[in-house]
C-alpha cells in the first residue's frame, strides 16, 4: 500500500515544483518589450481600473500579458508545434503546413471584423474618389496584394478553405474603383515560371514577386518597365526565417533574400521621417545579421520615407500609402519618378489629403496586402479632415 501511495505523491510534488518554477520565472525573469523572434512588441502589464475590471477588459489584457511574458515562451511554442506535427496536423497556430516546405498564414471568414472591413472599404472609396477628382483617375492606383494562400492553392493542405480574398477586389470594383485597381492577383495566377512569388517562412512577397507587381503597375500608368535583364540579381542572405516561422519556431529550411540592382544604378538620395540625414543606398546591409532581415529593404517601417532619383527629370512625384509590402516594391517604382515618398499610416498622423496637395504629388499608389488592409484600424486616417 505504501508503494502505491508514493507514486501519486511524487507526481504531485514534481507538478507543484514545475508550477513553482514557472511562477518564480514569471516574477523574477526580466520582462521583454520586444520579441526578435516574432518581430513584434509584447504586451505590457495592463493598467488597472475598476471600469476595465467590470467590463472584462483588464482580464483580457492580463491574459495577453501572461501569454506574451510566459517564461521560455519560444521553447514552449516549438515544443507545442513538434507535438502537433507528430499528430500529423496540417494547421498549427493559424499556419498551414503546406507542400514544398511552405508555411502559409491561415485567414478564415470568422477571423475578420466585418464592421472594420466595411469601414475600410468605404474610407478607401471616399479617398480614391476625392484624389481622382483632383489629379485624374489615371494618376490614382490601388494595389491590394493577395496573401500567399490566395495564390499558392497547390501548396495548401487538401482540406484548407481560407477566406476568398478576391471578395475585396470585387467589392471595390462594384463601388466604382475598377479603373484604379491593379490586377496583381490575376498576374500572379497566370504566371508560368518557377520563381518564388512569396517567401516560404514569411508573409511578404519576394523581390521577384514585387518585380512582377511593378510590371503591372508600370503598364497601368503607361510606362515601360525595366526588363529582368536590366538588373543584377544578388542573393544577399541565405538564412532568413520570417514572421510565419516565428509562430511555429521549429527547424525549417531558411529563405534567401534577393536584391535587384539596376545596371545603371541612380545616385540615390534617401531620407527617413523628415530628417536631413541623407542615405545613398536603398538597403540596410547591417540588419542581415539580425532576426528582422526584411528591414534590409529601405530600413523597414518608417512613418515617412523620401527617395530622390537625380537621374530622372520628368516632374513626376509619387506617394505610396503603404504597409511593409511596399519596401521591396518602391526601389522599382522609384526608377521612374523624380521623387518617391512612402507614408505608413501606423506612424504618420497628418491629414493625408492635405499633405498630398501641399507637397505637390502627381501620382498616388495605395499598396497593402489584402489581410493587412482589411484589419488595419489606421485606414481611417485616409479621410481625416
Amino acid at each position: 500500500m505504501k508503494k502505491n501511495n508514493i507514486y501519486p505523491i511524487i507526481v504531485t510534488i514534481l507538478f507543484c515544483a514545475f508550477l513553482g518554477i514557472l511562477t518564480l520565472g514569471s516574477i523574477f525573469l526580466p520582462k521583454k518589450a520586444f520579441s526578435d523572434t516574432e518581430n513584434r512588441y509584447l504586451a505590457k502589464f495592463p493598467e488597472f481600473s475598476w471600469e476595465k475590471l467590470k467590463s472584462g477588459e483588464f482580464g483580457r489584457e492580463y491574459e495577453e500579458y501572461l501569454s506574451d511574458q510566459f517564461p521560455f515562451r519560444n521553447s514552449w511554442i516549438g515544443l507545442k508545434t513538434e507535438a502537433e506535427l507528430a499528430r500529423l496536423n496540417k494547421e498549427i497556430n493559424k499556419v498551414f503546413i503546406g507542400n514544398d516546405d511552405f508555411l502559409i498564414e491561415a485567414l478564415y471568414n470568422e477571423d475578420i471584423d466585418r464592421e472594420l472591413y466595411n469601414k475600410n472599404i468605404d474610407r478607401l472609396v471616399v479617398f480614391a474618389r476625392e484624389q481622382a477628382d483632383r489629379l485624374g483617375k489615371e494618376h490614382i492606383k490601388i494595389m491590394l496584394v493577395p496573401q500567399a494562400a490566395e495564390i499558392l492553392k497547390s501548396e495548401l493542405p487538401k482540406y484548407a478553405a481560407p477566406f476568398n480574398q478576391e471578395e475585396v477586389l470585387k467589392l471595390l470594383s462594384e463601388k466604382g474603383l475598377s479603373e484604379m485597381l491593379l490586377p496583381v492577383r490575376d498576374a500572379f495566377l497566370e504566371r508560368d515560371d518557377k520563381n518564388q512569388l512569396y517567401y516560404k517562412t514569411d508573409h511578404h512577397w519576394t523581390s521577384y514577386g514585387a518585380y512582377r507587381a511593378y510590371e503591372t503597375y508600370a503598364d497601368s500608368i503607361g510606362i515601360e518597365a525595366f526588363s529582368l535583364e536590366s538588373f543584377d540579381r544578388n542573393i544577399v542572405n541565405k538564412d532568413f526565417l520570417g514572421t510565419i516561422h516565428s509562430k511555429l519556431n521549429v527547424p525549417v529550411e531558411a529563405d534567401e533574400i534577393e536584391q535587384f540592382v539596376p545596371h545603371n544604378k541612380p545616385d540615390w538620395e534617401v531620407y527617413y521621417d523628415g530628417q536631413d540625414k541623407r542615405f545613398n543606398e536603398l538597403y540596410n546591409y547591417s540588419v542581415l545579421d539580425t532576426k528582422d532581415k526584411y528591414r534590409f529593404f529601405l530600413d523597414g517601417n518608417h512613418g515617412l520615407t523620401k527617395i530622390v532619383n537625380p537621374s530622372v527629370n520628368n516632374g513626376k512625384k509619387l506617394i505610396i500609402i503603404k504597409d511593409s509590402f511596399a519596401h521591396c516594391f518602391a526601389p522599382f517604382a522609384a526608377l521612374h519618378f523624380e521623387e518617391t515618398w512612402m507614408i505608413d499610416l501606423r506612424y504618420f498622423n497628418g491629414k493625408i489629403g492635405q499633405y498630398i496637395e501641399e507637397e505637390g504629388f502627381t501620382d498616388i499608389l495605395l499598396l497593402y496586402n489584402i489581410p493587412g488592409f482589411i484589419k488595419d484600424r489606421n485606414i481611417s486616417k485616409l479621410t481625416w479632415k
Side-chain angles (χ1 to χ4, degrees):
M1 290 293 294
K2 288 184 177 180
K3 287 184 178 179
N4 292 337
N5 290 334
I6 290 175
Y7 179 73
I9 292 174
I10 292 175
V11 171
T12 302
I13 291 173
L14 290 175
F15 181 70
C16 291
F18 175 72
L19 291 180
I21 291 172
L22 290 181
T23 302
L24 291 173
S26 65
I27 295 173
F28 294 109
L29 286 177
K31 303 299 182 285
K32 296 181 65 176
F34 186 83
S35 170
D36 291 328
T37 302
E38 299 174 73
N39 190 30
R40 68 177 181 89
Y41 287 96
L42 300 176
K44 298 179 181 178
F45 191 89
E47 183 179 346
F48 178 82
S49 70
W50 289 111
E51 289 76 13
K52 289 174 67 174
L53 183 63
K54 291 177 183 177
S55 67
E57 183 181 354
F58 180 82
R60 289 191 296 271
E61 290 181 356
Y62 186 68
E63 184 178 352
E64 183 182 354
Y65 165 78
L66 287 179
S67 176
D68 276 6
Q69 301 295 343
F70 196 82
F72 318 113
R73 185 170 185 272
N74 292 335
S75 298
W76 288 114
I77 290 174
L79 185 61
K80 178 180 181 294
T81 302
E82 294 285 8
E84 295 286 348
L85 290 173
R87 296 170 57 194
L88 302 181
N89 284 353
K90 290 295 185 180
E91 183 189 337
I92 304 170
N93 198 18
K94 288 295 179 74
V95 174
F96 291 125
I97 311 300
N99 302 321
D100 301 319
D101 297 323
F102 269 96
L103 305 178
I104 301 175
E105 283 187 311
L107 177 70
Y108 294 103
N109 276 297
E110 55 267 29
D111 298 326
I112 297 170
D113 180 339
R114 285 286 166 172
E115 182 180 359
L116 177 62
Y117 170 24
N118 290 323
K119 284 182 177 179
N120 284 353
I121 292 290
D122 291 340
R123 288 159 177 160
L124 176 55
V125 170
V126 170
F127 172 78
R129 287 175 177 170
E130 287 179 349
Q131 297 307 316
D133 288 342
R134 197 171 63 82
L135 295 175
K137 284 185 179 181
E138 67 276 12
H139 294 285
I140 315 299
K141 301 299 175 183
I142 300 168
M143 184 184 292
L144 293 180
V145 184
Q147 188 186 38
E150 181 75 9
I151 304 299
L152 306 178
K153 302 284 190 183
S154 62
E155 307 294 350
L156 293 175
K158 292 180 180 179
Y159 65 83
F163 168 66
N164 180 10
Q165 296 169 45
E166 188 180 12
E167 172 190 311
V168 181
L169 305 175
K170 287 183 177 179
L171 186 54
L172 286 168
S173 292
E174 291 168 1
K175 290 180 177 287
L177 301 190
S178 57
E179 293 181 49
M180 304 179 202
L181 282 172
L182 299 179
V184 173
R185 177 182 178 275
D186 295 340
F188 279 11
L189 289 173
E190 293 168 1
R191 72 184 182 91
D192 58 0
D193 56 64
K194 299 299 181 182
N195 288 271
Q196 270 184 231
L197 295 170
Y198 297 88
Y199 293 111
K200 291 187 175 184
T201 70
D202 191 75
H203 69 286
H204 291 102
W205 55 13
T206 61
S207 297
Y208 177 78
Y211 172 80
R212 287 305 182 196
Y214 150 70
E215 286 186 315
T216 303
Y217 175 65
D219 182 65
S220 74
I221 61 174
I223 60 176
E224 184 177 353
F226 285 86
S227 67
L228 280 174
E229 292 71 31
S230 302
F231 298 89
D232 291 322
R233 298 175 63 177
N234 307 321
I235 303 299
V236 295
N237 188 271
K238 294 185 178 182
D239 58 356
F240 175 43
L241 296 172
T243 54
I244 306 179
H245 169 262
S246 298
K247 294 183 178 182
L248 304 181
N249 202 24
V250 290
V252 294
E253 183 178 354
D255 280 305
E256 295 181 342
I257 294 179
E258 186 177 25
Q259 175 192 39
F260 283 56
V261 180
H263 293 164
N264 297 317
K265 178 183 173 184
D267 184 19
W268 299 112
E269 299 175 23
V270 185
Y271 304 89
Y272 296 112
D273 297 320
Q275 302 297 312
D276 292 331
K277 184 177 180 179
R278 169 182 169 175
F279 295 85
N280 298 319
E281 187 55 81
L282 301 178
Y283 306 97
N284 185 348
Y285 291 89
S286 66
V287 303
L288 294 176
D289 294 325
T290 70
K291 168 65 179 174
D292 188 9
K293 293 176 172 55
Y294 192 74
R295 269 188 59 206
F296 172 71
F297 302 102
L298 284 165
D299 195 48
N301 296 318
H302 290 272
L304 186 67
T305 301
K306 175 183 176 182
I307 305 170
V308 179
N309 184 350
S311 64
V312 173
N313 185 25
N314 57 12
K316 292 185 177 182
K317 190 174 178 179
L318 170 68
I319 183 169
I320 304 175
I321 302 169
K322 58 84 183 179
D323 65 10
S324 54
F325 269 62
H327 298 173
C328 59
F329 171 90
F332 297 115
L335 293 169
H336 302 276
F337 293 86
E338 286 188 13
E339 295 182 12
T340 300
W341 295 51
M342 299 196 304
I343 281 184
D344 192 320
L345 296 179
R346 292 171 295 179
Y347 313 108
F348 184 86
N349 294 313
K351 297 176 180 178
I352 303 298
Q354 179 180 325
Y355 189 77
I356 289 172
E357 188 170 358
E358 289 175 352
E359 292 293 335
F361 292 104
T362 60
D363 293 83
I364 300 172
L365 171 64
L366 184 133
L367 195 167
Y368 273 78
N369 82 96
I370 290 176
F373 171 77
I374 62 180
K375 294 189 290 186
D376 189 351
R377 297 188 178 278
N378 295 292
I379 298 299
S380 61
K381 295 178 182 179
L382 288 178
T383 53
W384 278 7
K385 300 297 182 183

